[in-house]
Amino acid sequence: MIVITGDKKNEMDKNSLREMCSKHKKVILDLGTGDGRFVYKNALKNKNSLYIGLDPAEKQIKIYSKKANRRRLKNALYILGSLEKIPEELLSTTDKIFVNLPWGTLLEKIVRSNETYTKRLSKILKNDGEIEIIFGYVPELEPSETERLNLPKIENESDVLKAFSTFKKMFEVVEMKRLLKVDLDKIETTWAKKLKFGKDRFIYKIVLKKIAE
């Protein structure tokens, strides 16, 4: 798999990743990390956990990879990839996956998921691992994107459960709640900071636990 370290691209094999993971109590994956802020900020605060950012946009991911490299963070790792192209080295490595305010194709794959993508998420996790998804959109504010992606209507918890119905075979819901704008400040992503000052919208958090195989 291809790892971004500052401005450089390097290859990392399965054994090297496993060795890196073994040095930390937990392995956290930020799927669709964007500029990588979530990984950088949490790696600074929680040195015992390894934070991995996965994103297909090399230019974006370099923004916080450079910062992590300058700080010589040993628990921040940035990898090129996506839900459609998950590096095999990541399989069965992760304690928790975060999907923070996804947009575009990733949002579509999450809220209109099918068994193929649900299985891919499950395979990244260790047994009893969790996925925490924070998402939200408003057709009135993003009409073209909502229509283009054919996104389902999300206005209450029932709508959320319906959207994630394909996860039921491999996951159980352990938490679900609507978030307030003040909660966005705790997420530590660039997009969350912007939404905090925008108009109110439906934003939900759902935590799903992998059913042990």
Side-chain angles (χ1 to χ4, degrees):
M1 65 183 181
I2 299 175
V3 173
I4 302 297
T5 306
D7 276 323
K8 298 179 180 179
K9 289 196 294 186
N10 300 292
E11 291 279 349
M12 177 178 280
D13 61 24
K14 182 177 180 179
N15 290 335
S16 297
L17 177 63
R18 290 292 194 275
E19 183 180 354
M20 192 174 187
C21 291
S22 69
K23 295 177 181 178
H24 299 87
K25 289 184 177 180
K26 288 187 176 181
V27 178
I28 312 296
L29 176 68
D30 183 29
L31 180 60
T33 195
D35 63 11
R37 177 188 170 96
F38 178 86
V39 168
Y40 176 76
K41 290 290 186 179
N42 283 285
L44 284 173
K45 292 186 289 186
N46 306 299
K47 295 295 178 66
N48 290 329
S49 293
L50 173 62
Y51 287 85
I52 302 174
L54 185 71
D55 201 276
E58 182 179 335
K59 185 177 180 180
Q60 273 286 99
I61 211 171
K62 281 182 177 180
I63 294 173
Y64 274 90
S65 176
K66 289 178 183 178
K67 293 175 185 275
N69 192 43
R70 285 196 294 268
R71 295 290 293 267
R72 298 184 180 180
L73 291 180
K74 301 297 185 183
N75 63 327
L77 184 65
Y78 294 93
I79 300 171
L80 290 182
S82 64
L83 182 54
E84 295 90 339
K85 296 181 179 180
I86 295 170
E88 291 186 6
E89 293 85 352
L90 284 175
L91 302 182
S92 301
T93 61
T94 307
D95 294 284
K96 188 166 185 176
I97 298 171
F98 282 87
V99 186
N100 293 308
L101 298 167
W103 199 242
T105 302
L106 180 56
L107 174 61
E108 178 189 20
K109 295 295 187 295
I110 291 295
V111 300
R112 298 185 65 244
S113 188
N114 56 42
E115 194 168 325
T116 298
Y117 294 115
T118 307
K119 281 183 178 178
R120 287 181 186 176
L121 289 168
S122 176
K123 286 181 178 180
I124 299 171
L125 291 167
K126 300 174 184 176
N127 281 338
D128 295 328
E130 290 184 346
I131 302 176
E132 180 174 315
I133 301 168
I134 296 175
F135 76 107
Y137 49 86
V138 181
E140 291 77 18
L141 298 179
E142 298 97 11
S144 59
E145 192 73 352
T146 304
E147 184 177 346
R148 182 179 74 84
L149 299 174
N150 191 25
L151 298 175
K153 187 176 182 180
I154 302 289
E155 290 187 348
N156 52 51
E157 291 186 0
S158 178
D159 292 336
V160 176
L161 288 174
K162 186 176 180 181
F164 288 90
S165 60
T166 57
F167 284 75
K168 287 182 178 178
K169 289 183 179 180
M170 285 162 273
F171 295 90
E172 62 175 316
V173 177
V174 296
E175 183 184 357
M176 181 173 59
K177 67 176 181 179
R178 183 177 176 184
L179 301 184
L180 303 175
K181 285 174 69 173
V182 67
D183 297 318
L184 296 176
D185 206 33
K186 304 171 187 176
I187 299 175
E188 290 291 10
T189 72
T190 301
W191 185 230
K193 303 301 180 187
K194 292 180 180 178
L195 288 181
K196 179 186 174 183
F197 297 101
K199 294 182 179 180
D200 285 321
R201 62 183 64 215
F202 291 103
I203 296 178
Y204 282 91
K205 178 174 87 169
I206 182 167
V207 180
L208 302 144
K209 185 175 182 178
K210 180 178 176 178
I211 298 172
E213 297 174 353

